Amino acid sequence: VEFHPEMNSEGMIELLKKYRPQSVKILTTAGGRNLIKSHCMAEQISYMQFNTYQRIPLSIDTKALAALYESVPAQAVILTVTSAGILEQFLSGLDGNLLQQVKNNPLLVGAERIAEIAVKSGFSKVHVADNPGDQAMCSAAQHLI
């Protein structure tokens, strides 16, 4: 099994360029990015997508989150995000003072593309890990502490 270190659509496209397959079958969910599909269509690679799961937004326990931000020193909470969709869904569940607290604390993301979205959303302390993998995210978080 080979995977691209960036663990994202762009990395997958790099692997497709390397191996030049005749067809691609991808397990994903509906409503995600169409970057890989667009690449396959442009390169005349047969593409089949199997939607194997469904994204169901969960409610955020805003009381517990607010209590966390109130109970620890400023800047001690590091939010980690590995997809733009997760960031957007999370922010949609917050408002007022809590939203501002979250945006004023460190945010660690798994890709530059997510960092750009975070900055546009109002985050002021955005840090980018080498990739969204567990090891890279943990290593980057340790450097923030």
Side-chain angles (χ1 to χ4, degrees):
V1 174
E2 184 175 347
F3 62 91
H4 194 273
E6 291 183 23
M7 297 184 195
N8 59 16
S9 296
E10 291 83 359
M12 181 66 190
I13 290 170
E14 291 302 315
L15 291 176
L16 293 173
K17 288 177 181 178
K18 177 180 176 181
Y19 290 106
R20 302 182 170 273
Q22 293 183 3
S23 68
V24 169
K25 279 53 169 187
I26 188 167
L27 305 176
T28 187
T29 185
R33 296 172 71 200
N34 285 320
L35 203 57
I36 296 170
K37 180 180 180 179
S38 296
H39 171 79
C40 289
M41 297 300 107
E43 297 297 318
Q44 300 178 348
I45 299 170
S46 174
Y47 176 88
M48 186 173 288
Q49 178 175 328
F50 297 94
N51 296 327
T52 58
Y53 63 95
Q54 183 177 21
R55 292 181 179 157
I56 300 173
L58 302 173
S59 61
I60 298 170
D61 185 347
T62 55
K63 289 181 183 178
L65 187 60
L68 172 66
Y69 279 101
E70 290 173 12
S71 68
V72 296
Q75 311 302 316
V77 178
I78 301 171
L79 181 66
T80 63
V81 176
T82 56
S83 85
I86 289 170
L87 178 61
E88 291 164 354
Q89 177 60 38
F90 180 72
L91 292 177
S92 72
L94 305 178
D95 60 15
N97 188 44
L98 181 57
L99 178 60
Q100 206 52 47
Q101 280 182 299
V102 168
K103 288 182 179 182
N104 288 333
N105 275 269
L107 175 70
L108 175 60
V109 299
E112 194 60 47
R113 181 181 63 82
I114 303 166
E116 292 169 9
I117 293 168
V119 169
K120 287 178 185 174
S121 297
F123 282 89
S124 57
K125 298 174 180 101
V126 181
H127 307 273
V128 183
D130 290 338
N131 64 63
D134 293 344
Q135 187 65 35
M137 293 293 284
C138 288
S139 178
Q142 286 179 326
H143 288 83
L144 295 177
I145 298 174

